[in-house]
């Protein structure tokens, strides 16, 4: 399951940036994931939660945005949705020798939300019998 290594890499990069920025907690991470990136979103979400445990990202929400795979023909002006499994033959002219993949392989961190400043000390509310 390579989703765990992806999750750990994302957590490592975000944690480094958050600490350098003086954050005490990361609340959300937004990722862009291409249709052809070979990532199963549910598996990535599960692994992300595990990878966040004990870090500044503990409890952070993972938001994934899917990017459809699209290609362009170099022979004719056509572009098309590649789909899954990928169809890399131009539907207009039938050529497959001059095809450029425009999107669908993305796997990048788009944004991170965090809380600045020192961590809030966790204090418990007194129960009525203690007051």
């Amino acid at each position: 399951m390579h989703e765990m290594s992806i999750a750990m890499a994302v957590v490592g990069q975000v944690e480094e940036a958050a600490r350098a920025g003086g954050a005490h907690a990361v609340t959300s991470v937004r990722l862009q994931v291409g249709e052809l990136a070979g990532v199963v979103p549910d598996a990535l979400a599960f692994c992300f939660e595990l990878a966040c445990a004990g870090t500044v990202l503990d409890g952070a929400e993972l938001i994934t945005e899917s990017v459809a795979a699209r290609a362009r023909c170099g022979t004719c002006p056509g572009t098309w949705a590649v789909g899954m499994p990928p169809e890399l033959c131009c539907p207009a002219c039938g050529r497959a020798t001059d095809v450029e993949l425009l999107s669908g392989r993305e796997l990048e961190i788009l944004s991170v939300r965090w809380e600045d400043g020192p961590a809030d000390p966790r204090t418990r509310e007194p129960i009525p019998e203690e007051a």
Side-chain angles (χ1 to χ4, degrees), residues 26-103:
V26 172
T27 57
S28 69
V29 176
R30 202 171 101 223
L31 293 181
Q32 189 174 52
V33 181
E35 183 178 25
L36 302 177
V39 175
V40 178
D42 288 343
L44 181 59
F46 176 77
C47 293
F48 181 79
E49 187 177 336
L50 293 175
C52 288
T55 71
V56 71
L57 285 90
D58 205 347
E61 175 187 19
L62 178 65
I63 304 161
T64 56
E65 295 181 8
S66 181
V67 178
R70 294 201 56 81
R72 172 178 45 221
C73 182
T75 306
C76 67
T79 66
W80 67 95
V82 172
M84 281 302 285
E87 177 56 55
L88 297 176
C89 226
C90 177
C93 70
R95 298 190 114 181
T97 56
D98 196 14
V99 173
E100 177 186 5
L101 195 58
L102 300 174
S103 64

